[in-house]
Amino acid sequence: MSLPTDALLDAAATHGTPLYVYDAGELDAALNRVRAAFGDARVYYAMKANPNLTLLRRLLAAGVGFECVSSGEVARAEHIGAVGTELLVNGPAKSEAEYAAGSRLGATFIVDREEEVALLPPASRALVRVNPALAVSTHDHLATGALGSKFGVTPAQVPGVLGALRSAGHTALGLHVHIGSAIRDAGDFTAAFGCLTDLRDVTGPLTVLDAGGGWGLDADLAGIAREARRAAQAFGAELWVEPGRYLVARAGQLLTRVVGTKRTGRNFVLVDAGMTELLRPMLYGAVHPVTALWDAAEQGVWDIAGPACESGDVLARDVILPNPGRGQLLLFGEAGAYGAAMSSTYLTRSRPAEVLWEHGRWTVMRRREVPQDIWSAEE
Ligand code: LLP
């Protein structure tokens, strides 16, 4: 994504920093890439990646549904008018409130364990999540289909859960698999879908195969789509997918301003964003591409650190940058997914504003918080 530099300077001047900036063109392009690869599969956006109402409304208008994993996410979907077949309610430990809201809205539930069959509201539509117990090419914290992960039922449990759903009067639509997030190797999906198709003889034909999300930004999308379609065909099923990151990551960048520099054991450039705005480098060792919006005659190797009173508050290490100075601006890319969504108010830091670039101008998607927003629920 490349937003015009003068537009970025203007956004920083008008809306302040740190600031999440999004490019509407790249949002649309990502959905088009998904549709081109997956054909007529039904797309459910995993809104945990970025639940901003502006993004949700755009996606709903484009015919996309939502995967929700909390009462709050279901409430967001309801707030923008999504109902019925536009909603999936998922999660390994759903609350009574989530079952009730999902049922009231006519959502489909993703059943994560055998015991849940007895907890579902009467006559629910359900998919059974399968854990294929695979090692996948991503960070350990992002692997959900591994042997030790808490998600889904074992392949051996699948016929029993499908049978229990049917005897309890629910509609067992089919199977669901989501092996993790930011997965680089398309072969991991081939293995996961293969594990499901191995169940074909015991399950018989199914209505839906939900192939989840988890596609790394550089993964072979066409290859993943081909394997997912093949698996759905094996069951005579319709294909559903649940991308989060892929739909929004590249559209979003975190714009931050240089507060100053210091040269101690290392060269630090201190910026006004940190772990409260972009947690992924600290939590997963994620590397977000950095773009400096200035030029300088000399360049150096810099660590980019934030303002928090924690030594882990380092956004990037060993980045080659033109030598920075106070007031200059830099961008962390691929931050549209799990960036703003995982920002926090730790240290009573106000979460940043979010702005969208469309038709040559910025619109505010979320205003910058003020400290009063943060303590407003306190006595
Ligand atoms: N479906 C299910 C059942 C999921 O649990 C998730 C993500 C998705 C779909 C979407 O996965 P995606 O396409 O976005 O990879 N906070 C982490 C990512 C956690 C993802 C959790 N589940 C990060 O910042 O990388």
Side-chain angles (χ1 to χ4, degrees):
M1 178 185 93
S2 58
L3 289 168
T5 302
D6 51 351
L8 291 163
L9 299 180
D10 172 51
T14 308
H15 302 287
T17 55
L19 181 70
Y20 271 99
V21 295
Y22 299 90
D23 177 0
E26 170 53 27
L27 287 171
D28 295 344
L31 179 59
N32 289 340
R33 290 196 294 270
V34 170
R35 290 228 158 105
F38 286 86
D40 57 3
R42 187 177 290 187
V43 180
Y44 289 92
Y45 171 55
M47 72 160 80
K48 67 203 86 180
N50 191 323
N52 187 284
L53 296 176
T54 299
L55 302 186
L56 300 188
R57 287 193 182 103
R58 290 178 73 93
L59 289 165
L60 184 64
V64 171
F66 303 108
E67 187 251 5
C68 306
V69 289
S70 70
S71 289
E73 289 193 348
V74 175
R76 279 183 186 268
E78 183 177 12
H79 181 68
I80 63 154
V83 286
T85 53
E86 289 158 346
L87 295 180
L88 300 177
V89 173
N90 184 26
K94 298 177 195 69
S95 66
E96 292 298 333
E98 285 153 16
Y99 289 121
S103 159
R104 182 167 51 75
L105 296 170
T108 300
F109 290 97
I110 297 170
V111 170
D112 204 81
R113 65 189 198 283
E114 221 157 349
E115 223 181 37
E116 249 196 296
V117 174
L119 302 173
L120 288 176
S124 290
R125 288 152 31 97
L127 294 164
V128 178
R129 180 165 181 170
V130 187
N131 181 342
L134 299 169
V136 291
S137 56
T138 189
H139 189 282
D140 274 357
H141 293 179
L142 302 180
T144 53
L147 184 59
S149 111
K150 68 178 175 182
F151 299 98
V153 305
T154 66
Q157 289 170 334
V158 165
V161 182
L162 287 173
L165 281 167
R166 289 178 184 129
S167 346
H170 302 299
T171 305
L173 287 178
L175 301 180
H176 170 282
V177 66
H178 172 79
I179 53 175
S181 198
I183 296 169
R184 298 178 291 269
D185 184 352
D188 295 346
F189 294 95
T190 310
F193 302 151
C195 170
L196 262 62
T197 47
D198 286 348
L199 293 167
R200 169 64 182 76
D201 289 344
V202 289
T203 64
L206 297 170
T207 310
V208 172
L209 183 87
D210 182 334
W215 320 326
L217 295 178
D218 296 319
D220 167 18
L221 201 61
I224 298 169
R226 191 181 54 241
E227 296 299 324
R229 281 204 303 268
R230 183 177 301 170
Q233 270 158 19
F235 290 97
E238 184 183 321
L239 178 62
W240 293 4
V241 290
E242 300 172 359
R245 185 184 321 271
Y246 196 88
L247 285 177
V248 293
R250 287 207 165 115
Q253 302 184 81
L254 175 61
L255 182 61
T256 178
R257 199 178 280 283
V258 174
V259 173
T261 59
K262 80 189 215 178
R263 295 171 188 269
T264 49
R266 302 183 64 87
N267 294 337
F268 283 106
V269 50
L270 299 153
V271 296
D272 65 2
M275 63 190 290
T276 40
E277 289 72 34
L278 184 62
L279 186 59
R280 304 193 67 257
M282 301 82 189
L283 205 53
Y284 315 117
V287 176
H288 287 263
V290 177
T291 309
L293 297 187
W294 69 89
D295 284 323
E298 311 261 301
Q299 59 175 32
V301 179
W302 295 88
D303 290 349
I304 306 175
C309 47
E310 300 227 10
S311 51
D313 187 31
V314 176
L315 288 158
R317 295 252 187 219
D318 296 323
V319 185
I320 297 171
L321 292 175
N323 285 347
R326 180 172 167 81
Q328 284 157 335
L329 292 165
L330 61 84
L331 286 164
F332 284 90
E334 298 177 1
Y338 308 109
M342 290 172 70
S343 63
S344 80
T345 57
Y346 178 47
L347 309 172
T348 310
R349 279 174 61 80
S350 299
R351 282 176 293 180
E354 295 176 73
V355 293
L356 179 70
W357 178 253
E358 188 172 29
H359 308 311
R361 64 186 183 92
W362 293 108
T363 51
V364 176
M365 294 168 36
R366 189 175 203 275
R367 65 166 170 82
R368 185 176 305 282
E369 282 179 333
V370 293
Q372 289 81 351
D373 291 324
I374 302 172
W375 67 62
S376 67
E378 298 170 24
E379 294 302 327

